[in-house]
Amino acid sequence: MSMKIPPQAIADYYTALDALHGHGVRNEMGLRSAFQTLLQAVGKKADWTLVPERAQAGGARPDGTFLDTNHFERGYWEAKDQIGRASCRER
């Protein structure tokens, strides 16, 4: 499936990053809200919902899981900061 990213969502993402960077925020946890908002906007185009921190079988908990209208998992988001926190797929 190919999705177009709404141009306003990209602009809003960079605006949010600039604001956060202006406050000295550089780590994953501090920047994740900006990226989560971008992913929500993109997912909405496919009628998907981004569910943060949804537990997976085996105990993994990615930063976000995309669910479609039938509650099927369509994708995952797992961020790593500069320290290189292990992703849920590597655990």
XYZ file of all heavy atoms in Angstrom:
713
model
N 0.836 -1.172 0.000
C 0.000 0.000 0.000
C 0.883 1.238 0.000
O 1.846 1.325 0.739
C -0.896 -0.006 1.238
C -1.626 1.305 1.421
S -2.589 1.396 2.924
C -4.048 0.569 2.370
N 0.545 2.168 -0.829
C 1.278 3.424 -0.901
C 0.399 4.539 -0.354
O -0.764 4.648 -0.731
C 1.655 3.716 -2.359
O 2.260 4.967 -2.453
N 0.956 5.323 0.575
C 0.201 6.426 1.153
C 0.955 7.723 0.943
O 2.173 7.752 1.086
C -0.003 6.213 2.655
C -0.974 5.146 2.993
S -1.298 5.098 4.763
C 0.093 4.133 5.321
N 0.211 8.750 0.623
C 0.812 10.072 0.538
C 0.786 10.702 1.927
O -0.211 10.646 2.626
C 0.030 10.961 -0.422
C 0.368 10.749 -1.859
C -0.215 11.869 -2.678
C 0.582 11.997 -3.946
N 0.158 13.150 -4.714
N 1.890 11.271 2.289
C 1.957 11.966 3.568
C 1.410 13.371 3.359
O 1.867 14.090 2.463
C 3.402 12.026 4.091
C 3.925 10.598 4.301
C 3.477 12.814 5.391
C 5.379 10.535 4.670
N 0.421 13.764 4.157
C -0.136 15.108 4.005
C 0.946 16.171 4.215
O 1.642 16.149 5.238
C -1.200 15.189 5.105
C -1.490 13.771 5.493
C -0.235 13.004 5.215
N 1.123 17.093 3.244
C 2.173 18.120 3.380
C 2.067 18.924 4.675
O 3.081 19.260 5.267
C 1.965 19.006 2.150
C 1.263 18.128 1.161
C 0.412 17.203 1.976
N 0.847 19.206 5.128
C 0.697 19.975 6.364
C 1.209 19.180 7.558
O 1.768 19.748 8.496
C -0.758 20.388 6.583
C -0.945 21.344 7.753
C -0.140 22.627 7.593
O -0.209 23.279 6.551
N 0.623 22.999 8.614
N 1.059 17.849 7.520
C 1.560 17.013 8.611
C 3.076 17.097 8.695
O 3.643 17.149 9.791
C 1.104 15.568 8.423
N 3.744 17.123 7.546
C 5.206 17.257 7.514
C 5.618 18.619 8.063
O 6.536 18.726 8.881
C 5.758 17.065 6.088
C 5.493 15.643 5.597
C 7.231 17.414 6.012
C 6.319 14.591 6.284
N 4.930 19.662 7.619
C 5.245 21.014 8.096
C 5.045 21.108 9.608
O 5.884 21.685 10.322
C 4.379 22.042 7.373
N 3.947 20.534 10.103
C 3.677 20.551 11.543
C 4.741 19.780 12.323
O 5.142 20.186 13.414
C 2.294 19.959 11.843
C 1.156 20.830 11.342
O 1.394 22.009 10.987
O 0.022 20.313 11.284
N 5.207 18.673 11.744
C 6.249 17.864 12.379
C 7.530 18.681 12.545
O 8.114 18.719 13.631
C 6.495 16.610 11.542
C 7.681 15.789 11.972
C 7.685 15.123 13.196
C 8.804 15.663 11.163
C 8.777 14.353 13.591
C 9.884 14.893 11.542
C 9.864 14.245 12.760
O 10.940 13.489 13.146
N 7.955 19.348 11.476
C 9.181 20.136 11.562
C 9.023 21.339 12.492
O 9.967 21.709 13.199
C 9.655 20.563 10.171
C 10.351 19.443 9.446
C 9.812 18.878 8.303
C 11.551 18.914 9.927
C 10.446 17.827 7.650
C 12.185 17.871 9.285
C 11.630 17.334 8.148
O 12.256 16.298 7.515
N 7.846 21.923 12.531
C 7.588 23.023 13.460
C 7.707 22.538 14.910
O 8.330 23.198 15.748
C 6.197 23.635 13.208
O 6.152 24.160 11.883
C 5.875 24.733 14.207
N 7.115 21.362 15.174
C 7.187 20.799 16.523
C 8.628 20.450 16.895
O 9.068 20.723 18.019
C 6.298 19.561 16.628
N 9.387 19.852 15.950
C 10.791 19.539 16.221
C 11.598 20.796 16.518
O 12.405 20.815 17.452
C 11.425 18.810 15.035
C 11.091 17.342 14.853
C 11.867 16.785 13.659
C 11.379 16.540 16.090
N 11.392 21.834 15.722
C 12.111 23.089 15.951
C 11.821 23.645 17.337
O 12.725 24.106 18.037
C 11.753 24.128 14.882
C 12.358 23.825 13.525
O 13.297 23.004 13.452
O 11.880 24.408 12.526
N 10.546 23.591 17.738
C 10.176 24.100 19.063
C 10.841 23.273 20.164
O 11.376 23.825 21.127
C 8.659 24.079 19.224
N 10.810 21.949 20.011
C 11.426 21.084 21.020
C 12.939 21.268 21.064
O 13.530 21.351 22.140
C 11.066 19.621 20.745
C 9.595 19.267 20.962
C 9.268 17.912 20.365
C 9.254 19.315 22.446
N 13.562 21.355 19.898
C 15.015 21.583 19.854
C 15.369 22.920 20.494
O 16.411 23.047 21.137
C 15.527 21.535 18.422
C 15.595 20.152 17.868
N 15.599 19.901 16.515
C 15.652 18.936 18.458
C 15.653 18.600 16.304
N 15.689 17.991 17.477
N 14.495 23.914 20.325
C 14.705 25.222 20.941
C 14.736 25.164 22.459
O 15.310 26.024 23.113
N 14.115 24.130 23.001
C 14.112 23.918 24.453
C 15.181 22.924 24.881
O 15.192 22.467 26.026
C 12.740 23.426 24.913
C 11.667 24.455 24.804
N 11.603 25.577 25.595
C 10.611 24.540 23.957
C 10.562 26.302 25.265
N 9.939 25.696 24.267
N 16.052 22.552 23.936
C 17.146 21.654 24.267
C 16.781 20.178 24.272
O 17.564 19.346 24.717
N 15.604 19.845 23.772
C 15.166 18.453 23.753
C 15.845 17.737 22.590
O 15.763 18.171 21.449
C 13.630 18.350 23.618
C 13.188 16.900 23.537
C 12.950 19.061 24.773
N 16.494 16.621 22.881
C 17.210 15.870 21.848
C 16.989 14.358 21.960
O 17.378 13.617 21.086
C 18.724 16.131 21.938
C 19.131 17.564 21.714
C 19.165 17.874 20.222
N 19.782 19.160 19.937
C 19.122 20.312 19.879
N 17.844 20.361 20.134
N 19.744 21.425 19.578
N 16.389 13.891 23.057
C 16.265 12.446 23.248
C 14.948 11.903 22.692
O 14.012 12.635 22.398
C 16.416 12.074 24.729
C 15.319 12.656 25.585
O 14.349 13.198 25.090
N 15.476 12.541 26.881
N 14.912 10.588 22.563
C 13.749 9.913 21.985
C 12.451 10.261 22.702
O 11.452 10.593 22.069
C 13.965 8.396 22.031
C 12.749 7.606 21.606
C 12.777 6.165 22.052
O 13.838 5.657 22.441
O 11.718 5.533 22.012
N 12.446 10.157 24.009
C 11.214 10.399 24.761
C 10.714 11.826 24.590
O 9.520 12.058 24.517
C 11.414 10.074 26.244
C 11.564 8.602 26.537
S 10.180 7.588 25.956
C 8.890 8.171 27.042
N 11.628 12.754 24.511
C 11.228 14.142 24.355
C 10.703 14.481 22.969
O 9.881 15.384 22.806
N 11.177 13.762 21.969
C 10.799 14.039 20.580
C 9.677 13.141 20.073
O 9.109 13.399 19.015
C 12.020 13.880 19.666
C 13.194 14.808 19.974
C 14.391 14.443 19.106
C 12.802 16.259 19.776
N 9.336 12.128 20.823
C 8.389 11.138 20.308
C 7.009 11.697 20.035
O 6.319 11.232 19.135
C 8.332 9.914 21.211
C 7.487 10.055 22.450
C 7.557 8.845 23.333
N 6.721 7.794 22.778
C 6.628 6.593 23.278
N 7.337 6.245 24.326
N 5.838 5.701 22.742
N 6.561 12.693 20.794
C 5.216 13.232 20.561
C 5.087 13.845 19.171
O 4.042 13.701 18.523
C 4.848 14.252 21.638
O 5.701 15.381 21.569
N 6.139 14.501 18.700
C 6.098 15.094 17.359
C 5.973 14.005 16.294
O 5.167 14.118 15.364
C 7.345 15.944 17.116
N 6.748 12.945 16.441
C 6.702 11.865 15.452
C 5.390 11.088 15.549
O 4.812 10.690 14.546
C 7.902 10.927 15.627
C 8.098 10.003 14.459
C 8.395 10.506 13.200
C 7.979 8.643 14.607
C 8.569 9.658 12.119
C 8.155 7.786 13.538
C 8.450 8.301 12.285
N 4.900 10.891 16.757
C 3.630 10.194 16.953
C 2.498 10.954 16.261
O 1.645 10.347 15.603
C 3.330 10.043 18.439
C 2.055 9.280 18.722
C 1.877 9.015 20.211
O 2.832 8.946 20.967
N 0.641 8.844 20.627
N 2.501 12.271 16.380
C 1.480 13.086 15.714
C 1.570 12.937 14.197
O 0.541 12.836 13.514
C 1.625 14.562 16.129
O 1.468 14.645 17.555
C 0.599 15.441 15.456
N 2.788 12.913 13.666
C 2.981 12.704 12.227
C 2.438 11.336 11.815
O 1.701 11.216 10.829
C 4.458 12.826 11.866
C 4.829 12.485 10.422
C 4.144 13.433 9.448
C 6.340 12.526 10.250
N 2.778 10.292 12.554
C 2.298 8.950 12.218
C 0.772 8.855 12.300
O 0.146 8.185 11.475
C 2.930 7.909 13.140
C 4.415 7.641 12.932
C 4.916 6.640 13.968
C 4.693 7.143 11.531
N 0.179 9.525 13.255
C -1.280 9.511 13.364
C -1.916 10.144 12.126
O -2.912 9.628 11.605
C -1.731 10.241 14.625
C -1.447 9.452 15.875
C -1.656 10.257 17.139
O -1.447 11.463 17.176
N -2.063 9.567 18.197
N -1.336 11.230 11.643
C -1.861 11.894 10.450
C -1.744 11.002 9.217
O -2.661 10.930 8.400
C -1.133 13.221 10.213
N -0.620 10.308 9.103
C -0.418 9.401 7.963
C -1.367 8.204 8.063
O -2.002 7.816 7.085
C 1.051 8.936 7.889
C 1.231 7.872 6.827
C 1.961 10.127 7.614
N -1.470 7.627 9.238
C -2.344 6.478 9.429
C -3.802 6.794 9.157
O -4.546 5.956 8.643
N -4.206 7.995 9.490
C -5.595 8.407 9.268
C -5.976 8.302 7.796
O -7.106 7.958 7.456
C -5.789 9.840 9.766
C -7.225 10.310 9.719
C -7.342 11.736 10.201
C -7.580 11.728 11.685
N -7.944 13.049 12.202
N -5.004 8.558 6.899
C -5.256 8.471 5.454
C -5.645 7.049 5.039
O -6.356 6.858 4.072
C -4.028 8.918 4.662
C -3.585 10.334 4.919
C -4.496 11.347 4.300
C -4.189 11.503 2.835
N -5.042 12.470 2.183
N -5.166 6.044 5.781
C -5.477 4.647 5.477
C -6.580 4.110 6.395
O -6.890 2.927 6.362
C -4.221 3.792 5.629
N -7.144 4.985 7.231
C -8.151 4.590 8.212
C -7.568 3.633 9.243
O -8.221 2.689 9.679
C -9.386 3.986 7.529
C -10.653 4.218 8.338
O -10.650 5.088 9.228
O -11.647 3.520 8.089
N -6.302 3.884 9.595
C -5.614 3.109 10.627
C -5.500 3.959 11.891
O -5.407 5.184 11.835
C -4.210 2.736 10.187
C -4.117 1.789 9.044
C -5.142 1.124 8.421
C -2.926 1.396 8.365
N -4.647 0.354 7.400
C -3.285 0.496 7.349
C -1.595 1.720 8.515
C -2.369 -0.085 6.499
C -0.668 1.149 7.670
C -1.053 0.247 6.672
N -5.442 3.303 13.011
C -5.281 3.974 14.300
C -3.919 3.595 14.874
O -3.564 2.411 14.892
C -6.392 3.536 15.275
O -7.658 3.863 14.703
C -6.240 4.218 16.622
N -3.186 4.587 15.339
C -1.912 4.333 16.002
C -2.173 4.175 17.496
O -2.677 5.090 18.141
C -0.932 5.474 15.756
C 0.447 5.290 16.379
C 1.193 4.133 15.706
C 1.255 6.572 16.274
N -1.845 2.993 18.028
C -2.050 2.712 19.444
C -0.682 2.674 20.114
O 0.121 1.784 19.845
C -2.783 1.369 19.639
C -2.982 1.081 21.125
C -4.108 1.371 18.896
N -0.390 3.648 20.980
C 0.913 3.663 21.653
C 1.054 2.529 22.667
O 0.096 2.179 23.365
C 0.936 5.021 22.369
C -0.166 5.824 21.775
C -1.175 4.837 21.276
N 2.257 1.958 22.720
C 2.636 1.009 23.767
C 1.695 -0.192 23.896
O 1.443 -0.680 24.991
C 2.738 1.728 25.116
C 3.699 2.897 25.142
C 5.154 2.485 24.986
O 5.512 1.344 25.347
O 5.933 3.313 24.499
N 1.203 -0.696 22.792
C 0.311 -1.864 22.815
C 1.143 -3.135 22.988
O 2.065 -3.400 22.229
C -0.471 -1.945 21.511
C -1.500 -3.051 21.467
C -2.334 -2.901 20.198
N -3.467 -3.772 20.186
C -3.520 -4.927 19.515
N -2.467 -5.320 18.808
N -4.597 -5.665 19.541
N 0.806 -3.919 24.003
C 1.557 -5.144 24.287
C 1.366 -6.165 23.167
O 0.265 -6.342 22.661
C 1.108 -5.741 25.612
N 2.455 -6.809 22.803
C 2.451 -7.852 21.775
C 2.609 -9.212 22.446
O 2.996 -9.307 23.608
C 3.629 -7.637 20.811
C 3.675 -6.259 20.187
C 2.533 -6.023 19.241
O 2.293 -6.831 18.357
N 1.818 -4.942 19.427
N 2.357 -10.260 21.681
C 2.600 -11.611 22.190
C 4.078 -11.725 22.559
O 4.938 -11.219 21.850
C 2.239 -12.644 21.132
N 4.366 -12.326 23.646
C 5.749 -12.480 24.080
C 6.248 -11.318 24.915
O 7.399 -11.301 25.326
N 5.398 -10.330 25.147
C 5.761 -9.237 26.030
C 6.381 -8.013 25.386
O 6.639 -7.028 26.062
N 6.657 -8.071 24.080
C 7.212 -6.887 23.414
C 6.174 -5.770 23.431
O 4.964 -6.013 23.415
C 7.599 -7.221 21.982
N 6.651 -4.537 23.471
C 5.760 -3.386 23.521
C 6.370 -2.279 22.652
O 7.104 -1.424 23.148
C 5.596 -2.926 24.964
C 4.536 -1.879 25.172
C 4.400 -1.529 26.639
N 3.961 -2.640 27.450
C 2.685 -2.927 27.713
N 1.739 -2.179 27.219
N 2.372 -3.947 28.477
N 6.071 -2.295 21.336
C 6.619 -1.252 20.477
C 6.060 0.122 20.869
O 5.024 0.215 21.523
C 6.172 -1.651 19.075
C 5.005 -2.548 19.271
C 5.205 -3.212 20.607
N 6.729 1.161 20.433
C 6.261 2.518 20.732
C 4.863 2.752 20.184
O 4.077 3.489 20.766
C 7.227 3.553 20.158
C 8.558 3.564 20.890
O 8.567 3.276 22.102
O 9.573 3.865 20.257
N 4.552 2.136 19.061
C 3.217 2.279 18.487
C 2.893 1.118 17.573
O 3.773 0.516 16.967
N 1.605 0.801 17.498
C 1.103 -0.241 16.607
C -0.037 0.348 15.795
O -0.954 0.953 16.355
C 0.571 -1.453 17.411
O 1.617 -1.954 18.235
C 0.060 -2.547 16.500
N 0.024 0.186 14.472
C -1.075 0.601 13.615
C -2.105 -0.517 13.550
O -1.769 -1.670 13.262
C -0.596 0.885 12.189
C -0.062 2.257 11.980
C 1.261 2.451 11.650
C -0.880 3.367 12.090
C 1.765 3.720 11.442
C -0.398 4.643 11.885
C 0.927 4.825 11.556
N -3.367 -0.180 13.823
C -4.475 -1.125 13.707
C -5.443 -0.612 12.649
O -5.730 0.585 12.588
C -5.220 -1.254 15.035
C -4.428 -1.743 16.239
C -5.299 -1.747 17.481
C -3.870 -3.134 15.982
N -5.967 -1.545 11.826
C -6.968 -1.140 10.852
C -8.349 -1.200 11.501
O -8.479 -1.468 12.699
C -6.867 -1.972 9.567
C -7.214 -3.439 9.739
O -7.817 -3.824 10.781
O -6.888 -4.221 8.834
N -9.393 -0.966 10.719
C -10.748 -0.916 11.282
C -11.224 -2.275 11.784
O -12.172 -2.340 12.556
C -11.745 -0.373 10.240
O -11.657 -1.180 9.063
C -11.451 1.078 9.909
N -10.546 -3.345 11.367
C -10.882 -4.690 11.850
C -9.972 -5.122 13.004
O -9.969 -6.282 13.388
C -10.767 -5.708 10.709
C -11.799 -5.456 9.643
O -12.979 -5.318 9.935
N -11.355 -5.366 8.401
N -9.175 -4.191 13.502
C -8.256 -4.416 14.619
C -7.075 -5.316 14.258
O -6.431 -5.879 15.148
C -8.984 -4.953 15.859
C -10.148 -4.118 16.266
N -9.999 -2.931 16.937
C -11.468 -4.264 16.050
C -11.189 -2.392 17.135
N -12.096 -3.176 16.604
N -6.793 -5.454 12.944
C -5.599 -6.185 12.519
C -4.391 -5.265 12.613
O -4.467 -4.078 12.270
C -5.734 -6.693 11.078
C -6.745 -7.781 10.908
C -7.858 -7.594 10.107
C -6.586 -8.998 11.554
C -8.786 -8.596 9.941
C -7.517 -10.011 11.397
C -8.623 -9.808 10.587
N -3.280 -5.818 13.056
C -2.041 -5.042 13.141
C -1.483 -4.847 11.741
O -1.290 -5.799 10.994
C -1.032 -5.770 14.032
C -1.499 -5.864 15.467
C -0.566 -6.658 16.349
O 0.372 -7.291 15.833
O -0.793 -6.648 17.567
N -1.218 -3.596 11.388
C -0.724 -3.261 10.059
C 0.710 -2.758 10.054
O 1.340 -2.692 9.013
C -1.631 -2.215 9.409
C -3.011 -2.716 9.139
C -2.938 -3.858 8.175
N -4.257 -4.331 7.815
C -4.469 -5.113 6.791
N -3.470 -5.502 6.033
N -5.689 -5.520 6.534
N 1.225 -2.396 11.196
C 2.599 -1.919 11.263
C 2.963 -1.523 12.676
O 2.105 -1.396 13.549
N 4.271 -1.333 12.861
C 4.803 -0.996 14.179
C 5.759 0.176 14.069
O 6.402 0.367 13.055
C 5.579 -2.194 14.773
C 4.765 -3.440 14.824
C 4.878 -4.393 13.817
C 3.866 -3.672 15.854
C 4.118 -5.547 13.838
C 3.107 -4.830 15.880
C 3.229 -5.762 14.878
O 2.470 -6.894 14.899
N 5.846 0.900 15.154
C 6.815 1.984 15.258
C 7.643 1.711 16.502
O 7.115 1.540 17.602
C 6.088 3.320 15.361
C 6.872 4.437 15.967
C 8.167 4.774 15.703
C 6.415 5.370 16.942
N 8.540 5.873 16.449
C 7.471 6.258 17.217
C 5.205 5.549 17.602
C 7.360 7.297 18.120
C 5.093 6.592 18.494
C 6.161 7.449 18.746
N 8.932 1.628 16.323
C 9.847 1.479 17.457
C 11.020 2.412 17.214
O 11.747 2.260 16.240
C 10.329 0.033 17.584
C 11.285 -0.190 18.741
C 10.679 0.123 20.103
O 9.477 -0.072 20.310
O 11.453 0.580 20.969
N 11.162 3.380 18.067
C 12.228 4.372 17.923
C 13.446 3.949 18.724
O 13.345 3.213 19.710
C 11.734 5.733 18.409
N 14.576 4.440 18.289
C 15.820 4.268 19.041
C 16.440 5.647 19.184
O 16.471 6.416 18.235
C 16.799 3.364 18.299
C 16.345 1.932 18.192
C 17.403 1.115 17.496
C 16.945 -0.306 17.329
N 17.930 -1.110 16.615
N 16.916 5.939 20.369
C 17.624 7.196 20.539
C 19.113 6.954 20.262
O 19.514 5.875 19.820
C 17.378 7.813 21.915
C 17.817 6.927 23.064
O 18.603 5.995 22.836
O 17.384 7.186 24.186
N 19.926 7.941 20.507
C 21.345 7.833 20.196
C 22.053 6.774 21.040
O 23.107 6.280 20.671
C 22.022 9.189 20.367
C 21.531 10.177 19.344
C 21.989 11.583 19.636
O 22.348 11.900 20.760
N 21.955 12.431 18.626
N 21.467 6.414 22.150
C 22.045 5.373 23.008
C 21.806 3.998 22.380
O 22.533 3.062 22.639
C 21.448 5.437 24.421
C 21.846 6.775 25.078
C 21.908 4.268 25.284
C 21.136 7.052 26.378
N 20.809 3.895 21.510
C 20.569 2.650 20.811
C 19.749 1.645 21.607
O 20.035 0.460 21.604
N 18.722 2.128 22.269
C 17.833 1.250 23.021
C 17.350 0.138 22.085
O 16.973 0.375 20.960
C 16.631 2.062 23.528
C 15.665 1.300 24.357
C 14.633 2.246 24.941
N 13.803 2.839 23.912
C 12.604 2.370 23.584
N 12.121 1.308 24.171
N 11.888 2.977 22.664
N 17.374 -1.087 22.564
C 16.989 -2.240 21.744
C 15.544 -2.125 21.313
O 14.672 -1.737 22.088
C 17.186 -3.530 22.536
N 15.271 -2.458 20.081
C 13.898 -2.427 19.590
C 13.167 -3.678 20.063
O 13.772 -4.663 20.462
C 13.864 -2.364 18.063
O 14.157 -3.618 17.510
N 11.848 -3.626 19.963
C 11.046 -4.755 20.441
C 11.326 -6.009 19.620
O 11.194 -7.112 20.124
C 9.561 -4.411 20.384
S 8.928 -4.143 18.730
N 11.755 -5.885 18.393
C 12.012 -7.047 17.549
C 13.323 -7.714 17.899
O 13.577 -8.825 17.509
C 11.996 -6.632 16.092
C 10.614 -6.189 15.658
C 10.556 -5.967 14.180
N 9.213 -5.515 13.844
C 8.956 -4.544 13.023
N 9.932 -3.924 12.410
N 7.727 -4.194 12.761
N 14.176 -7.021 18.632
C 15.486 -7.565 18.982
C 15.502 -8.198 20.366
O 16.492 -8.763 20.769
C 16.541 -6.461 18.911
C 16.723 -5.930 17.506
C 17.617 -4.714 17.467
O 17.756 -4.032 18.490
O 18.143 -4.427 16.386
N 14.442 -8.060 21.078
C 14.397 -8.605 22.437
C 14.135 -10.078 22.437
O 13.632 -10.678 21.588
C 13.320 -7.902 23.250
C 13.701 -6.495 23.559
C 12.698 -5.875 24.470
N 12.986 -4.459 24.496
C 12.128 -3.527 24.741
N 10.888 -3.819 24.990
N 12.456 -2.282 24.755
